Amino acid sequence: MFYKRLIVLLLLVGVISYCVIYFTVDINTLKTLIDFQPWSIAAAFFSVAIGLFLDGLRLTQLIKISGEKITPLQAARVVFGNYFLALLTPGFSGGAVAQLMFLRHADIPIGKATVIVIVRTLVSIAFLFVCMPFILLSDDGVLPWISNETLLFVSILAIGAVALLVWAMVSGYFDKVAIFIAKKISHKKGRKLIGFYRDNKKAILLLASSPAGLLKVFIISGLSLIALYSVVPFLLLGLGVDINWALVMGRMIFLNIFLYFSPTPGGSGIAEGGFVLLFNTIAPVGTVGVVAVAWRLFAEYIPFLVGFYYTLKSFGRSFLGKSSLKKTS
């Protein structure tokens, strides 16, 4: 199961990377690549390292709020393990499984581990959505065929709906609604719905129990994502492209919101295609494909390899064929 997925992923990444570069590269790109600034590569590595460090710091803060403890090495395994299984599964769903495995390996109770994993995802998505109105007010060309007014209305509506849902869950008003819906569907689906609702409510209550801790986690999450996305402007600058830093970061945030709901393994194809679509007016046509592939290499594939190493070291080769991988399907 694992090796089939790995082979499919490698083939998919290889084909997509080749196509993206083939259809966007030109003769001037080859000349530009010769003049590529080494400092930008170093800056990209440093940016990813800072982003991953802050991701680990966020994890330790969440575990501290839950009343548990974790060592820096254990936190690193959780972070990199997330990248490992996330890239093998649609919508990064395997990342949650990997985080649970490594948290249990660190002796975190399964109930708290589940809540912590949900909180990590919710806080990241919340930061991206909070940024959306500011991005749409300052960038007129995100999606040319949809007006920014429409996108702004949808984003504010989504933020308002989520805020209302969180309030309803914390206050208990939504409990009866969840039970009512569960009774109207099959018993099996109803149990899954109630379990999903219960886990998410526990995650929200955990954050609500420590407002100061919540603010700290939110800020660290934002800084982590900004550091990871900064790979792109560093790479563009290294190719001699004159960029608007805020514009580039805004479009990276916009792109990554959609990647959370990608149906392909690790967002492969959608990430590269979306990048070319959003950045073809910012970067020269001949360089946008190269930067798209390089971004994925720095921000996803290198952490994936580290996560692969930690998984083998922690669980052994026998893990790769176990049913836990099948459950991520």
Side-chain angles (χ1 to χ4, degrees):
M1 175 61 69
F2 166 76
Y3 290 109
K4 286 181 180 178
R5 289 190 179 188
L6 182 59
I7 291 172
V8 170
L9 174 66
L10 293 177
L11 288 175
L12 185 63
V13 169
V15 171
I16 290 172
S17 299
Y18 173 81
C19 291
V20 168
I21 293 177
Y22 179 82
F23 288 108
T24 60
V25 79
D26 59 25
I27 191 65
N28 293 323
T29 302
L30 302 178
K31 182 180 178 180
T32 305
L33 291 176
I34 296 175
D35 299 328
F36 203 104
Q37 299 297 319
W39 66 262
S40 67
I41 296 292
F45 269 115
F46 181 74
S47 182
V48 170
I50 292 296
L52 294 173
F53 169 78
L54 290 173
D55 196 3
L57 183 62
R58 171 181 65 165
L59 175 65
T60 57
Q61 179 63 26
L62 282 173
I63 291 176
K64 182 179 179 181
I65 293 175
S66 72
E68 302 291 335
K69 294 182 180 180
I70 193 172
T71 67
L73 179 58
Q74 289 171 331
R77 289 171 177 168
V78 175
V79 171
F80 284 109
N82 173 43
Y83 280 90
F84 171 55
L85 280 188
L87 278 181
L88 293 173
T89 52
F92 303 93
S93 57
V97 176
Q99 292 177 69
L100 284 174
M101 291 183 340
F102 279 102
L103 285 172
R104 287 294 299 119
H105 194 63
D107 296 324
I108 304 297
I110 186 63
K112 289 185 177 181
T114 302
V115 171
I116 289 167
V117 171
I118 293 173
V119 168
R120 276 167 52 82
T121 304
L122 290 178
V123 173
S124 294
I125 295 177
F127 175 81
L128 297 179
F129 269 108
V130 167
C131 291
M132 279 304 300
F134 301 100
I135 294 169
L136 295 171
L137 287 171
S138 59
D139 185 356
D140 295 327
V142 178
L143 292 178
W145 57 86
I146 303 178
S147 68
N148 272 29
E149 289 76 13
T150 301
L151 291 173
L152 182 61
F153 174 77
V154 171
S155 65
I156 293 177
L157 187 65
I159 293 171
V162 170
L164 181 62
L165 179 61
V166 169
W167 172 81
M169 291 173 70
V170 172
S171 62
Y173 287 114
F174 202 78
D175 293 358
K176 292 182 179 180
V177 176
I179 294 173
F180 175 79
I181 296 174
K183 289 181 178 179
K184 294 296 181 179
I185 57 181
S186 67
H187 179 69
K188 184 178 180 180
K189 291 181 179 179
R191 289 185 62 184
K192 287 184 178 180
L193 174 63
I194 294 299
F196 176 77
Y197 173 76
R198 182 181 62 250
D199 289 341
N200 279 274
K201 182 174 180 177
K202 286 181 179 178
I204 293 170
L205 290 174
L206 174 65
L207 290 173
S209 67
S210 177
L214 168 60
L215 179 61
K216 186 175 181 179
V217 168
F218 185 81
I219 293 173
I220 294 174
S221 295
L223 293 175
S224 174
L225 293 174
I226 288 172
L228 292 171
Y229 300 162
S230 294
V231 169
V232 172
F234 281 133
L235 292 174
L236 288 171
L237 289 170
L239 289 174
V241 180
D242 186 19
I243 63 167
N244 180 325
W245 194 286
L247 186 67
V248 171
M249 295 300 290
R251 296 200 178 187
M252 285 300 297
I253 289 173
F254 186 82
L255 173 59
N256 278 273
I257 287 178
F258 287 96
L259 291 184
Y260 271 101
F261 310 99
S262 167
T264 60
S268 298
I270 294 178
E272 292 84 355
F275 186 95
V276 173
L277 177 67
L278 290 173
F279 287 90
N280 61 4
T281 58
I282 296 178
V285 175
T287 62
V288 67
V290 174
V291 175
V293 174
W295 159 57
R296 293 285 282 172
L297 174 66
F298 281 104
E300 301 287 346
Y301 302 139
I302 293 177
F304 166 85
L305 293 175
V306 178
F308 181 32
Y309 165 77
Y310 275 136
T311 302
L312 284 178
K313 186 175 181 181
S314 299
F315 302 104
R317 292 179 179 271
S318 60
F319 159 79
L320 301 179
K322 288 184 178 179
S323 59
S324 56
L325 283 172
K326 297 178 183 178
K327 292 178 183 177
T328 63
S329 298

PDB file of all heavy atoms in Angstrom, residues 288-317:
ATOM      1  N   VAL A 288       8.006  31.545 -14.003  1.00  0.00           N
ATOM      2  CA  VAL A 288       6.939  31.209 -13.048  1.00  0.00           C
ATOM      3  C   VAL A 288       6.850  29.702 -12.802  1.00  0.00           C
ATOM      4  O   VAL A 288       6.624  29.261 -11.675  1.00  0.00           O
ATOM      5  CB  VAL A 288       5.583  31.778 -13.534  1.00  0.00           C
ATOM      6  CG1 VAL A 288       5.113  31.089 -14.809  1.00  0.00           C
ATOM      7  CG2 VAL A 288       4.532  31.656 -12.441  1.00  0.00           C
ATOM      8  N   GLY A 289       7.065  28.886 -13.839  1.00  0.00           N
ATOM      9  CA  GLY A 289       7.007  27.438 -13.663  1.00  0.00           C
ATOM     10  C   GLY A 289       8.152  26.917 -12.819  1.00  0.00           C
ATOM     11  O   GLY A 289       7.965  26.022 -11.981  1.00  0.00           O
ATOM     12  N   VAL A 290       9.346  27.465 -13.048  1.00  0.00           N
ATOM     13  CA  VAL A 290      10.513  27.053 -12.275  1.00  0.00           C
ATOM     14  C   VAL A 290      10.319  27.377 -10.800  1.00  0.00           C
ATOM     15  O   VAL A 290      10.621  26.561  -9.917  1.00  0.00           O
ATOM     16  CB  VAL A 290      11.788  27.744 -12.810  1.00  0.00           C
ATOM     17  CG1 VAL A 290      12.983  27.434 -11.918  1.00  0.00           C
ATOM     18  CG2 VAL A 290      12.068  27.310 -14.238  1.00  0.00           C
ATOM     19  N   VAL A 291       9.803  28.561 -10.517  1.00  0.00           N
ATOM     20  CA  VAL A 291       9.579  28.972  -9.137  1.00  0.00           C
ATOM     21  C   VAL A 291       8.494  28.106  -8.494  1.00  0.00           C
ATOM     22  O   VAL A 291       8.595  27.742  -7.306  1.00  0.00           O
ATOM     23  CB  VAL A 291       9.199  30.466  -9.063  1.00  0.00           C
ATOM     24  CG1 VAL A 291       8.839  30.863  -7.629  1.00  0.00           C
ATOM     25  CG2 VAL A 291      10.348  31.318  -9.566  1.00  0.00           C
ATOM     26  N   ALA A 292       7.449  27.743  -9.254  1.00  0.00           N
ATOM     27  CA  ALA A 292       6.378  26.886  -8.729  1.00  0.00           C
ATOM     28  C   ALA A 292       6.934  25.547  -8.259  1.00  0.00           C
ATOM     29  O   ALA A 292       6.626  25.071  -7.163  1.00  0.00           O
ATOM     30  CB  ALA A 292       5.301  26.667  -9.794  1.00  0.00           C
ATOM     31  N   VAL A 293       7.772  24.933  -9.090  1.00  0.00           N
ATOM     32  CA  VAL A 293       8.357  23.639  -8.745  1.00  0.00           C
ATOM     33  C   VAL A 293       9.339  23.785  -7.584  1.00  0.00           C
ATOM     34  O   VAL A 293       9.372  22.952  -6.665  1.00  0.00           O
ATOM     35  CB  VAL A 293       9.047  23.012  -9.967  1.00  0.00           C
ATOM     36  CG1 VAL A 293       9.794  21.736  -9.578  1.00  0.00           C
ATOM     37  CG2 VAL A 293       8.023  22.704 -11.056  1.00  0.00           C
ATOM     38  N   ALA A 294      10.147  24.859  -7.608  1.00  0.00           N
ATOM     39  CA  ALA A 294      11.119  25.083  -6.537  1.00  0.00           C
ATOM     40  C   ALA A 294      10.412  25.325  -5.200  1.00  0.00           C
ATOM     41  O   ALA A 294      10.859  24.841  -4.150  1.00  0.00           O
ATOM     42  CB  ALA A 294      12.011  26.271  -6.879  1.00  0.00           C
ATOM     43  N   TRP A 295       9.316  26.060  -5.228  1.00  0.00           N
ATOM     44  CA  TRP A 295       8.533  26.295  -4.007  1.00  0.00           C
ATOM     45  C   TRP A 295       8.054  24.982  -3.403  1.00  0.00           C
ATOM     46  O   TRP A 295       8.201  24.755  -2.199  1.00  0.00           O
ATOM     47  CB  TRP A 295       7.340  27.199  -4.330  1.00  0.00           C
ATOM     48  CG  TRP A 295       6.221  27.101  -3.340  1.00  0.00           C
ATOM     49  CD1 TRP A 295       6.282  27.322  -2.000  1.00  0.00           C
ATOM     50  CD2 TRP A 295       4.863  26.726  -3.611  1.00  0.00           C
ATOM     51  NE1 TRP A 295       5.046  27.124  -1.414  1.00  0.00           N
ATOM     52  CE2 TRP A 295       4.163  26.755  -2.375  1.00  0.00           C
ATOM     53  CE3 TRP A 295       4.162  26.395  -4.773  1.00  0.00           C
ATOM     54  CZ2 TRP A 295       2.797  26.451  -2.295  1.00  0.00           C
ATOM     55  CZ3 TRP A 295       2.817  26.102  -4.687  1.00  0.00           C
ATOM     56  CH2 TRP A 295       2.147  26.125  -3.464  1.00  0.00           C
ATOM     57  N   ARG A 296       7.519  24.110  -4.220  1.00  0.00           N
ATOM     58  CA  ARG A 296       7.044  22.820  -3.723  1.00  0.00           C
ATOM     59  C   ARG A 296       8.203  21.983  -3.177  1.00  0.00           C
ATOM     60  O   ARG A 296       8.052  21.274  -2.177  1.00  0.00           O
ATOM     61  CB  ARG A 296       6.329  22.072  -4.842  1.00  0.00           C
ATOM     62  CG  ARG A 296       5.042  22.715  -5.285  1.00  0.00           C
ATOM     63  CD  ARG A 296       3.935  22.510  -4.295  1.00  0.00           C
ATOM     64  NE  ARG A 296       3.389  21.164  -4.406  1.00  0.00           N
ATOM     65  CZ  ARG A 296       2.507  20.634  -3.576  1.00  0.00           C
ATOM     66  NH1 ARG A 296       2.102  21.317  -2.533  1.00  0.00           N
ATOM     67  NH2 ARG A 296       2.047  19.409  -3.756  1.00  0.00           N
ATOM     68  N   LEU A 297       9.352  22.078  -3.820  1.00  0.00           N
ATOM     69  CA  LEU A 297      10.521  21.323  -3.374  1.00  0.00           C
ATOM     70  C   LEU A 297      10.942  21.767  -1.982  1.00  0.00           C
ATOM     71  O   LEU A 297      11.124  20.936  -1.077  1.00  0.00           O
ATOM     72  CB  LEU A 297      11.670  21.513  -4.358  1.00  0.00           C
ATOM     73  CG  LEU A 297      13.021  20.898  -3.943  1.00  0.00           C
ATOM     74  CD1 LEU A 297      12.924  19.380  -3.901  1.00  0.00           C
ATOM     75  CD2 LEU A 297      14.126  21.342  -4.896  1.00  0.00           C
ATOM     76  N   PHE A 298      11.077  23.075  -1.786  1.00  0.00           N
ATOM     77  CA  PHE A 298      11.532  23.596  -0.495  1.00  0.00           C
ATOM     78  C   PHE A 298      10.483  23.413   0.597  1.00  0.00           C
ATOM     79  O   PHE A 298      10.804  22.984   1.717  1.00  0.00           O
ATOM     80  CB  PHE A 298      11.863  25.094  -0.617  1.00  0.00           C
ATOM     81  CG  PHE A 298      13.189  25.376  -1.246  1.00  0.00           C
ATOM     82  CD1 PHE A 298      13.276  25.827  -2.551  1.00  0.00           C
ATOM     83  CD2 PHE A 298      14.366  25.186  -0.539  1.00  0.00           C
ATOM     84  CE1 PHE A 298      14.501  26.087  -3.140  1.00  0.00           C
ATOM     85  CE2 PHE A 298      15.600  25.443  -1.111  1.00  0.00           C
ATOM     86  CZ  PHE A 298      15.668  25.896  -2.426  1.00  0.00           C
ATOM     87  N   ALA A 299       9.234  23.755   0.292  1.00  0.00           N
ATOM     88  CA  ALA A 299       8.203  23.825   1.324  1.00  0.00           C
ATOM     89  C   ALA A 299       7.504  22.504   1.599  1.00  0.00           C
ATOM     90  O   ALA A 299       6.904  22.345   2.671  1.00  0.00           O
ATOM     91  CB  ALA A 299       7.159  24.875   0.934  1.00  0.00           C
ATOM     92  N   GLU A 300       7.560  21.539   0.669  1.00  0.00           N
ATOM     93  CA  GLU A 300       6.816  20.296   0.845  1.00  0.00           C
ATOM     94  C   GLU A 300       7.688  19.045   0.732  1.00  0.00           C
ATOM     95  O   GLU A 300       7.647  18.182   1.618  1.00  0.00           O
ATOM     96  CB  GLU A 300       5.679  20.208  -0.197  1.00  0.00           C
ATOM     97  CG  GLU A 300       4.677  21.344  -0.141  1.00  0.00           C
ATOM     98  CD  GLU A 300       3.759  21.263   1.067  1.00  0.00           C
ATOM     99  OE1 GLU A 300       3.715  20.200   1.715  1.00  0.00           O
ATOM    100  OE2 GLU A 300       3.083  22.269   1.352  1.00  0.00           O
ATOM    101  N   TYR A 301       8.455  18.918  -0.336  1.00  0.00           N
ATOM    102  CA  TYR A 301       9.121  17.649  -0.616  1.00  0.00           C
ATOM    103  C   TYR A 301      10.321  17.377   0.288  1.00  0.00           C
ATOM    104  O   TYR A 301      10.557  16.237   0.693  1.00  0.00           O
ATOM    105  CB  TYR A 301       9.543  17.591  -2.092  1.00  0.00           C
ATOM    106  CG  TYR A 301       8.371  17.768  -3.032  1.00  0.00           C
ATOM    107  CD1 TYR A 301       8.473  18.541  -4.182  1.00  0.00           C
ATOM    108  CD2 TYR A 301       7.133  17.175  -2.747  1.00  0.00           C
ATOM    109  CE1 TYR A 301       7.393  18.701  -5.030  1.00  0.00           C
ATOM    110  CE2 TYR A 301       6.050  17.343  -3.589  1.00  0.00           C
ATOM    111  CZ  TYR A 301       6.181  18.111  -4.732  1.00  0.00           C
ATOM    112  OH  TYR A 301       5.103  18.281  -5.562  1.00  0.00           O
ATOM    113  N   ILE A 302      11.075  18.407   0.638  1.00  0.00           N
ATOM    114  CA  ILE A 302      12.190  18.201   1.572  1.00  0.00           C
ATOM    115  C   ILE A 302      11.680  17.831   2.967  1.00  0.00           C
ATOM    116  O   ILE A 302      12.159  16.858   3.568  1.00  0.00           O
ATOM    117  CB  ILE A 302      13.112  19.442   1.617  1.00  0.00           C
ATOM    118  CG1 ILE A 302      13.829  19.596   0.266  1.00  0.00           C
ATOM    119  CG2 ILE A 302      14.126  19.331   2.757  1.00  0.00           C
ATOM    120  CD1 ILE A 302      14.709  20.821   0.166  1.00  0.00           C
ATOM    121  N   PRO A 303      10.681  18.561   3.524  1.00  0.00           N
ATOM    122  CA  PRO A 303      10.103  18.111   4.807  1.00  0.00           C
ATOM    123  C   PRO A 303       9.493  16.712   4.711  1.00  0.00           C
ATOM    124  O   PRO A 303       9.515  15.955   5.691  1.00  0.00           O
ATOM    125  CB  PRO A 303       9.029  19.170   5.089  1.00  0.00           C
ATOM    126  CG  PRO A 303       9.508  20.390   4.387  1.00  0.00           C
ATOM    127  CD  PRO A 303      10.157  19.889   3.136  1.00  0.00           C
ATOM    128  N   PHE A 304       8.943  16.353   3.552  1.00  0.00           N
ATOM    129  CA  PHE A 304       8.394  15.014   3.339  1.00  0.00           C
ATOM    130  C   PHE A 304       9.472  13.947   3.549  1.00  0.00           C
ATOM    131  O   PHE A 304       9.238  12.925   4.214  1.00  0.00           O
ATOM    132  CB  PHE A 304       7.831  14.921   1.919  1.00  0.00           C
ATOM    133  CG  PHE A 304       7.537  13.522   1.451  1.00  0.00           C
ATOM    134  CD1 PHE A 304       6.328  12.909   1.754  1.00  0.00           C
ATOM    135  CD2 PHE A 304       8.467  12.804   0.708  1.00  0.00           C
ATOM    136  CE1 PHE A 304       6.050  11.618   1.331  1.00  0.00           C
ATOM    137  CE2 PHE A 304       8.201  11.519   0.278  1.00  0.00           C
ATOM    138  CZ  PHE A 304       6.993  10.915   0.588  1.00  0.00           C
ATOM    139  N   LEU A 305      10.650  14.174   3.003  1.00  0.00           N
ATOM    140  CA  LEU A 305      11.747  13.209   3.138  1.00  0.00           C
ATOM    141  C   LEU A 305      12.198  13.087   4.594  1.00  0.00           C
ATOM    142  O   LEU A 305      12.497  11.985   5.071  1.00  0.00           O
ATOM    143  CB  LEU A 305      12.918  13.621   2.250  1.00  0.00           C
ATOM    144  CG  LEU A 305      12.667  13.540   0.731  1.00  0.00           C
ATOM    145  CD1 LEU A 305      13.865  14.080  -0.034  1.00  0.00           C
ATOM    146  CD2 LEU A 305      12.368  12.108   0.319  1.00  0.00           C
ATOM    147  N   VAL A 306      12.245  14.210   5.301  1.00  0.00           N
ATOM    148  CA  VAL A 306      12.613  14.172   6.717  1.00  0.00           C
ATOM    149  C   VAL A 306      11.557  13.402   7.505  1.00  0.00           C
ATOM    150  O   VAL A 306      11.877  12.599   8.387  1.00  0.00           O
ATOM    151  CB  VAL A 306      12.783  15.598   7.284  1.00  0.00           C
ATOM    152  CG1 VAL A 306      13.117  15.543   8.771  1.00  0.00           C
ATOM    153  CG2 VAL A 306      13.870  16.349   6.528  1.00  0.00           C
ATOM    154  N   GLY A 307      10.286  13.633   7.179  1.00  0.00           N
ATOM    155  CA  GLY A 307       9.206  12.905   7.838  1.00  0.00           C
ATOM    156  C   GLY A 307       9.257  11.416   7.554  1.00  0.00           C
ATOM    157  O   GLY A 307       8.956  10.596   8.416  1.00  0.00           O
ATOM    158  N   PHE A 308       9.650  11.061   6.339  1.00  0.00           N
ATOM    159  CA  PHE A 308       9.835   9.654   5.958  1.00  0.00           C
ATOM    160  C   PHE A 308      10.898   9.008   6.844  1.00  0.00           C
ATOM    161  O   PHE A 308      10.715   7.894   7.366  1.00  0.00           O
ATOM    162  CB  PHE A 308      10.235   9.590   4.493  1.00  0.00           C
ATOM    163  CG  PHE A 308      10.435   8.203   3.956  1.00  0.00           C
ATOM    164  CD1 PHE A 308       9.691   7.128   4.435  1.00  0.00           C
ATOM    165  CD2 PHE A 308      11.359   7.961   2.963  1.00  0.00           C
ATOM    166  CE1 PHE A 308       9.869   5.840   3.930  1.00  0.00           C
ATOM    167  CE2 PHE A 308      11.554   6.684   2.446  1.00  0.00           C
ATOM    168  CZ  PHE A 308      10.802   5.625   2.943  1.00  0.00           C
ATOM    169  N   TYR A 309      11.993   9.717   7.069  1.00  0.00           N
ATOM    170  CA  TYR A 309      13.073   9.212   7.921  1.00  0.00           C
ATOM    171  C   TYR A 309      12.596   9.011   9.358  1.00  0.00           C
ATOM    172  O   TYR A 309      12.830   7.956   9.966  1.00  0.00           O
ATOM    173  CB  TYR A 309      14.251  10.188   7.885  1.00  0.00           C
ATOM    174  CG  TYR A 309      15.258   9.961   8.994  1.00  0.00           C
ATOM    175  CD1 TYR A 309      16.171   8.909   8.921  1.00  0.00           C
ATOM    176  CD2 TYR A 309      15.282  10.791  10.116  1.00  0.00           C
ATOM    177  CE1 TYR A 309      17.085   8.686   9.945  1.00  0.00           C
ATOM    178  CE2 TYR A 309      16.191  10.581  11.135  1.00  0.00           C
ATOM    179  CZ  TYR A 309      17.092   9.530  11.048  1.00  0.00           C
ATOM    180  OH  TYR A 309      17.990   9.312  12.065  1.00  0.00           O
ATOM    181  N   TYR A 310      11.896  10.015   9.907  1.00  0.00           N
ATOM    182  CA  TYR A 310      11.414   9.912  11.286  1.00  0.00           C
ATOM    183  C   TYR A 310      10.404   8.784  11.448  1.00  0.00           C
ATOM    184  O   TYR A 310      10.365   8.110  12.482  1.00  0.00           O
ATOM    185  CB  TYR A 310      10.790  11.240  11.720  1.00  0.00           C
ATOM    186  CG  TYR A 310      11.778  12.256  12.238  1.00  0.00           C
ATOM    187  CD1 TYR A 310      11.710  13.598  11.849  1.00  0.00           C
ATOM    188  CD2 TYR A 310      12.767  11.883  13.133  1.00  0.00           C
ATOM    189  CE1 TYR A 310      12.616  14.536  12.332  1.00  0.00           C
ATOM    190  CE2 TYR A 310      13.683  12.813  13.622  1.00  0.00           C
ATOM    191  CZ  TYR A 310      13.599  14.134  13.213  1.00  0.00           C
ATOM    192  OH  TYR A 310      14.493  15.061  13.697  1.00  0.00           O
ATOM    193  N   THR A 311       9.572   8.576  10.433  1.00  0.00           N
ATOM    194  CA  THR A 311       8.570   7.509  10.500  1.00  0.00           C
ATOM    195  C   THR A 311       9.235   6.142  10.535  1.00  0.00           C
ATOM    196  O   THR A 311       8.862   5.274  11.338  1.00  0.00           O
ATOM    197  CB  THR A 311       7.612   7.597   9.302  1.00  0.00           C
ATOM    198  OG1 THR A 311       6.977   8.886   9.295  1.00  0.00           O
ATOM    199  CG2 THR A 311       6.543   6.510   9.381  1.00  0.00           C
ATOM    200  N   LEU A 312      10.218   5.948   9.663  1.00  0.00           N
ATOM    201  CA  LEU A 312      10.948   4.673   9.655  1.00  0.00           C
ATOM    202  C   LEU A 312      11.687   4.454  10.966  1.00  0.00           C
ATOM    203  O   LEU A 312      11.697   3.343  11.515  1.00  0.00           O
ATOM    204  CB  LEU A 312      11.942   4.647   8.496  1.00  0.00           C
ATOM    205  CG  LEU A 312      11.377   4.417   7.094  1.00  0.00           C
ATOM    206  CD1 LEU A 312      12.497   4.466   6.065  1.00  0.00           C
ATOM    207  CD2 LEU A 312      10.645   3.090   7.012  1.00  0.00           C
ATOM    208  N   LYS A 313      12.306   5.516  11.487  1.00  0.00           N
ATOM    209  CA  LYS A 313      13.080   5.394  12.719  1.00  0.00           C
ATOM    210  C   LYS A 313      12.181   5.125  13.918  1.00  0.00           C
ATOM    211  O   LYS A 313      12.557   4.371  14.835  1.00  0.00           O
ATOM    212  CB  LYS A 313      13.882   6.680  12.953  1.00  0.00           C
ATOM    213  CG  LYS A 313      14.834   6.598  14.139  1.00  0.00           C
ATOM    214  CD  LYS A 313      15.697   7.845  14.242  1.00  0.00           C
ATOM    215  CE  LYS A 313      16.666   7.743  15.416  1.00  0.00           C
ATOM    216  NZ  LYS A 313      17.513   8.967  15.549  1.00  0.00           N
ATOM    217  N   SER A 314      10.989   5.700  13.937  1.00  0.00           N
ATOM    218  CA  SER A 314      10.098   5.568  15.088  1.00  0.00           C
ATOM    219  C   SER A 314       9.258   4.303  15.056  1.00  0.00           C
ATOM    220  O   SER A 314       9.018   3.671  16.090  1.00  0.00           O
ATOM    221  CB  SER A 314       9.165   6.784  15.181  1.00  0.00           C
ATOM    222  OG  SER A 314       9.900   7.980  15.346  1.00  0.00           O
ATOM    223  N   PHE A 315       8.808   3.905  13.855  1.00  0.00           N
ATOM    224  CA  PHE A 315       7.856   2.801  13.763  1.00  0.00           C
ATOM    225  C   PHE A 315       8.374   1.600  12.971  1.00  0.00           C
ATOM    226  O   PHE A 315       7.718   0.560  12.958  1.00  0.00           O
ATOM    227  CB  PHE A 315       6.551   3.293  13.133  1.00  0.00           C
ATOM    228  CG  PHE A 315       5.907   4.418  13.891  1.00  0.00           C
ATOM    229  CD1 PHE A 315       5.988   5.721  13.423  1.00  0.00           C
ATOM    230  CD2 PHE A 315       5.248   4.186  15.085  1.00  0.00           C
ATOM    231  CE1 PHE A 315       5.403   6.764  14.118  1.00  0.00           C
ATOM    232  CE2 PHE A 315       4.656   5.220  15.787  1.00  0.00           C
ATOM    233  CZ  PHE A 315       4.741   6.523  15.309  1.00  0.00           C
ATOM    234  N   GLY A 316       9.533   1.757  12.318  1.00  0.00           N
ATOM    235  CA  GLY A 316      10.103   0.639  11.580  1.00  0.00           C
ATOM    236  C   GLY A 316       9.482   0.439  10.210  1.00  0.00           C
ATOM    237  O   GLY A 316       8.441   1.012   9.883  1.00  0.00           O
ATOM    238  N   ARG A 317      10.107  -0.396   9.412  1.00  0.00           N
ATOM    239  CA  ARG A 317       9.635  -0.657   8.047  1.00  0.00           C
ATOM    240  C   ARG A 317       8.278  -1.348   8.028  1.00  0.00           C
ATOM    241  O   ARG A 317       7.493  -1.186   7.097  1.00  0.00           O
ATOM    242  CB  ARG A 317      10.650  -1.518   7.293  1.00  0.00           C
ATOM    243  CG  ARG A 317      11.955  -0.813   7.007  1.00  0.00           C
ATOM    244  CD  ARG A 317      12.920  -1.746   6.277  1.00  0.00           C
ATOM    245  NE  ARG A 317      14.181  -1.067   5.984  1.00  0.00           N
ATOM    246  CZ  ARG A 317      14.407  -0.362   4.884  1.00  0.00           C
ATOM    247  NH1 ARG A 317      13.454  -0.257   3.977  1.00  0.00           N
ATOM    248  NH2 ARG A 317      15.561   0.228   4.684  1.00  0.00           N
TER     249      ARG A 317
END
